[in-house]
Amino acid sequence: MVFQDFDQIQQRRKAERQRKFRKRLLIASLTSVILIALIAAGVFALAAAKKTGPEPSTTNNHHKAATHPIPANATPSPDKGDNLSSSRLQKLINSVCNGTLYKDSCLKTLNKTVGDNQNVTSAQPKFLLSSAISAIDEEINKAFDKVLTFNFQTPEEKDAIEDCKALVADAKEELEESINNVNEFDARNFSTVAPELNNWLSAVMSYQVTCTDGFPEGKLKTDIEKTLNSSQLLTSNSLAILKQFSTLVSSLPKVLGSPPRHLLGWESHSLSKNEKLPDWMSHEDRRILKAVDRSNLNPNVTVAKDGSGQFKTISEALKAMPKNYTGRYIIYVKEGIYDELVTVDKKMVNVTMVGDGSKKTIVTGNKNGAARVPTFRTASFVALGSGFMAQAMGFRNTAGPEGHQAVAIRVQSDRSVFVNCRFEGYQDTLYVQTHRQFYRGCVITGTIDFIFGDAAAIFQNCQIFIRKGLNGQKNTVTAQGRSDPFETTGIVLQNCTITADDDLKPIKKDFKSYLGRPWKLHSRTVIMESTIGDVIEPAGWLKWQDNDFALDTLYYAEFNNDGASGDTKSRVNWPGVKFIKREEALKYTVGPFLQGAWINATDAPVKYGLYDV
């Protein structure tokens, strides 16, 4: 049995999309023309409507938009197709910048690009978005070059700057991907390109914030935050511009009178509630993730501590993976405790690891913050390469509550899937760092912030156990790290169970536990259709370090939960805490929230992911 590569899946589905698009040639031909009119005429209305949307950071400076004229040598010319005259381009620049949090920075960036462009009248709307993203890349280079001139003296500072180098390299790589995709899109394929851009740009924002987070508190960290601030503003602006374009393009079917395309999240397939898998997985992926009989696994390599496989360690098996391997690379890891630091690097794409059970095949380590290891480096297992999948595997950090920050697994892999896995730790057990992640039927244990990060991550049918920590500690299940309101990230717990672990049950009244706390200014967590046990305080949510940080800007939502602490009557009354209805909850199901070029409509019966049907 072999897996189909994600790229092969996308090619097949791309052909299907092209077939469907032939039926809409008339609409498609009109779309590009109407898009220009809508953007130029409609963005002002959208900007006004944003007043009811996410609140900007309280530290943002909002200024009245100024008029920056096009240079005198730019001669207006009649519009041709998607091209913009200089006057209409200027109006578009002013309009899109009105919808950003940092308008002065936006105007300066786009007008400079237009001024430097020798053929401004041939510009298209996507030219502005491409210019905005290119400006991030230029600014990161300039800012980080300055950061590298700072004096790093302590071991912690030296570790942090090395981590920053890796994070900036990731940011630059994904900015390049973004620019390439912007240059290829048009109004007809924007709905498939936009989610990819949101995914990458959200990750770019997270990489920059993670870079500064790694430094100890003090003057050096403050100086680095100030230096990188300019590139973060540009990233926020690009996300804001993309959101405006996405909103306008999505409104085109209504304007043209054609029906909207449904976003499909979950296929029925006549499966039971616990058997369903996301519809962006191939048929072969479904079979392998539901497989119980290892005799039909047909792995590329087998890892076994007793020597019965080709390798005795997981790291050796990964090192031997052929470069530029195409297709899905399956590693079967036999029962055993693998005490090694494992990294699936970015070049290792479409790797699947299958164990003998989450309590039998376990990757373990004990790096921790108490030993002065940065949180970023404490993970026992790191998944970076896109398309990573794991089934029946355990990931553990044994540092204990005394170790403080001690990560069992750090996941940066885009389109990653974990089924029937187990994540064990105390503080910071599962680091959902960036990109799109899906967890099904997993067990997560911990104490403080033990599901944290800035990915778009959905947990379905998972069991979440709160453990006994140090005396006097308060437990928090989540700490989501969205720092900008335009990021498309968040943690979603759906149809999960939150309860006390065995060691906490007898004394749970002595340890106050909460659903989460806001790690960053626009922290977003949604808990829906889940069972919340009496281990959770009736207030539900906890402040960050007992101050009022982010209470106005966070988004904490609950929908249709039950259990002893599922009642929301006694929840905190922060402005950002919401008790949403079904229509809003649908936005955070697998289809809409993790949509992208890798999630496509099919003719199969589908439901969007809510079990409340």
Side-chain angles (χ1 to χ4, degrees):
M1 180 188 302
V2 296
F3 282 88
Q4 298 182 47
D5 186 18
F6 271 116
D7 292 337
Q8 295 171 339
I9 297 170
Q10 291 174 0
Q11 289 174 3
R12 187 179 67 248
R13 290 177 173 173
K14 182 178 180 181
E16 176 66 13
R17 289 197 302 271
Q18 289 175 342
R19 182 186 65 80
K20 293 180 179 180
F21 278 136
R22 293 192 191 103
K23 300 179 181 179
R24 306 177 188 176
L25 284 177
L26 179 59
I27 294 174
S29 64
L30 295 173
T31 296
S32 58
V33 177
I34 296 178
L35 173 61
I36 307 305
L38 280 172
I39 291 176
V43 169
F44 285 112
L46 285 174
K50 286 182 183 292
K51 294 179 180 179
T52 60
E55 291 295 326
S57 166
T58 55
T59 60
N60 297 337
N61 293 320
H62 295 262
H63 304 284
K64 185 176 181 180
T67 300
H68 295 254
I70 296 292
N73 61 349
T75 305
S77 66
D79 293 349
K80 296 180 180 179
D82 282 356
N83 297 340
L84 297 176
S85 66
S86 58
S87 60
R88 293 181 67 186
L89 181 59
Q90 185 61 61
K91 290 179 181 178
L92 181 56
I93 289 173
N94 290 335
S95 296
V96 298
C97 288
N98 279 338
T100 65
L101 298 181
Y102 309 100
K103 290 181 281 189
D104 283 357
S105 175
C106 178
L107 289 167
K108 180 179 178 181
T109 299
L110 298 186
N111 279 295
K112 180 181 184 302
T113 304
V114 170
D116 293 341
N117 185 44
Q118 297 300 313
N119 191 23
V120 66
T121 57
S122 67
Q124 300 177 6
K126 66 183 181 182
F127 163 78
L128 298 182
L129 181 56
S130 178
S131 299
I133 297 173
S134 297
I136 305 172
D137 188 54
E138 295 174 6
E139 189 61 30
I140 283 182
N141 285 334
K142 184 170 66 175
F144 197 65
D145 283 346
K146 182 177 180 180
V147 168
L148 292 176
T149 66
F150 295 168
N151 189 14
F152 306 100
Q153 297 182 334
T154 68
E156 292 83 0
E157 291 171 351
K158 292 178 180 178
D159 284 346
I161 192 59
E162 289 303 313
D163 292 339
C164 274
K165 291 177 182 178
L167 289 162
V168 169
D170 289 339
K172 289 179 62 61
E173 179 180 330
E174 295 186 31
L175 285 170
E176 182 179 356
E177 290 282 352
S178 299
I179 294 169
N180 290 339
N181 273 264
V182 170
N183 292 335
E184 293 175 1
F185 86 69
D186 58 29
R188 288 169 294 178
N189 68 3
F190 190 84
S191 62
T192 59
V193 173
E196 301 301 312
L197 295 174
N198 275 317
N199 173 48
W200 289 323
L201 291 175
S202 294
V204 168
M205 177 68 79
S206 182
Y207 294 144
Q208 295 173 77
V209 174
T210 303
C211 170
T212 57
D213 281 348
F215 288 92
E217 296 296 330
K219 184 179 183 303
L220 178 62
K221 180 175 182 176
T222 301
D223 289 344
I224 292 174
E225 287 176 333
K226 290 180 179 178
T227 304
L228 293 177
N229 183 60
S230 56
S231 59
Q232 292 177 36
L233 301 191
L234 294 177
T235 308
S236 175
N237 285 345
S238 294
L239 281 163
I241 294 170
L242 177 59
K243 182 176 182 179
Q244 293 183 68
F245 282 15
S246 298
T247 302
L248 288 167
V249 170
S250 66
S251 70
L252 285 176
K254 297 178 182 179
V255 174
L256 296 171
S258 59
R261 185 175 71 89
H262 291 294
L263 298 175
L264 306 182
W266 287 81
E267 295 184 27
S268 296
H269 289 298
S270 300
L271 298 177
S272 72
K273 183 177 181 179
N274 293 323
E275 291 176 332
K276 288 182 248 181
L277 293 171
D279 69 346
W280 41 263
M281 294 171 60
S282 72
H283 177 66
E284 291 298 323
D285 290 338
R286 295 167 191 276
R287 291 176 61 188
I288 195 65
L289 289 176
K290 290 166 57 182
V292 176
D293 185 1
R294 298 298 186 271
S295 64
N296 295 325
L297 185 60
N298 192 26
N300 294 83
V301 295
T302 298
V303 178
K305 291 181 67 69
D306 61 8
S308 60
Q310 292 99 320
F311 303 97
K312 290 187 175 181
T313 70
I314 300 172
S315 296
E316 289 174 340
L318 287 169
K319 186 177 181 180
M321 180 178 173
K323 293 182 179 179
N324 301 318
Y325 183 85
T326 58
R328 183 151 291 279
Y329 196 79
I330 307 171
I331 301 175
Y332 170 37
V333 187
K334 287 189 175 182
E335 179 177 352
I337 296 178
Y338 295 82
D339 190 356
E340 54 177 308
L341 300 178
V342 178
T343 299
V344 180
D345 69 36
K346 294 197 74 172
K347 295 181 180 179
M348 299 173 181
V349 300
N350 299 318
V351 170
T352 289
M353 287 189 188
V354 181
D356 279 327
S358 64
K359 289 186 176 181
K360 294 181 179 180
T361 301
I362 300 170
V363 181
T364 188
N366 64 358
K367 286 191 174 184
N368 60 86
R372 307 187 76 175
V373 178
T375 304
F376 190 78
R377 295 189 172 201
T378 61
S380 306
F381 191 103
V382 179
L384 304 179
S386 63
F388 178 78
M389 294 186 183
Q391 182 203 14
M393 294 279 295
F395 305 91
R396 177 185 292 169
N397 191 307
T398 61
E402 300 82 7
H404 300 293
Q405 296 90 345
V407 177
I409 183 171
R410 174 166 61 88
V411 184
Q412 183 182 317
S413 170
D414 188 23
R415 303 169 302 178
S416 52
V417 177
F418 295 83
V419 174
N420 297 333
C421 289
R422 190 177 185 91
F423 308 93
E424 298 180 8
Y426 287 84
Q427 183 172 350
D428 293 356
T429 302
L430 174 53
Y431 188 177
V432 290
Q433 185 187 348
T434 55
H435 297 124
R436 296 163 292 194
Q437 305 178 21
F438 176 68
Y439 298 77
R440 177 77 180 195
C442 294
V443 174
I444 308 106
T445 72
T447 53
I448 301 172
D449 305 340
F450 60 96
I451 303 175
F452 79 108
D454 193 26
I458 291 184
F459 296 78
Q460 277 196 347
N461 293 28
C462 292
Q463 294 178 292
I464 298 168
F465 293 101
I466 302 175
R467 308 176 79 171
K468 177 184 177 296
L470 299 177
N471 289 335
Q473 285 184 339
K474 296 177 181 178
N475 298 319
T476 45
V477 176
T478 66
Q480 204 279 328
R482 192 172 68 135
S483 59
D484 187 271
F486 295 111
E487 286 185 76
T488 55
T489 59
I491 292 172
V492 178
L493 307 182
Q494 183 185 20
N495 201 36
C496 294
T497 300
I498 303 172
T499 189
D501 204 2
D502 289 342
D503 63 349
L504 183 61
K505 282 181 180 178
I507 52 174
K508 58 188 174 185
K509 292 183 180 180
D510 298 331
F511 291 83
K512 292 187 175 182
S513 301
Y514 301 85
L515 298 172
R517 60 176 183 160
W519 181 27
K520 299 297 180 183
L521 192 62
H522 296 277
S523 179
R524 178 161 63 180
T525 300
V526 179
I527 300 179
M528 56 189 187
E529 302 182 304
S530 294
T531 299
I532 304 175
D534 62 0
V535 67
I536 296 296
E537 290 292 305
W541 306 91
L542 182 67
K543 292 182 179 181
W544 182 262
Q545 298 180 346
D546 294 326
N547 59 44
D548 292 342
F549 171 74
L551 301 190
D552 292 336
T553 51
L554 59 79
Y555 181 88
Y556 286 166
E558 296 183 59
F559 170 74
N560 203 22
N561 297 313
D562 58 21
S565 290
D567 193 335
T568 59
K569 292 180 181 178
S570 299
R571 291 290 191 261
V572 292
N573 61 351
W574 307 338
V577 172
K578 312 292 182 184
F579 309 111
I580 59 178
K581 297 185 182 300
R582 176 182 170 80
E583 183 178 351
E584 180 74 7
L586 278 168
K587 298 177 182 178
Y588 298 99
T589 55
V590 172
F593 196 57
L594 297 184
Q595 65 173 310
W598 46 287
I599 302 177
N600 296 283
T602 70
D603 294 329
V606 174
K607 63 180 181 181
Y608 280 73
L610 286 178
Y611 296 113
D612 175 31
V613 294

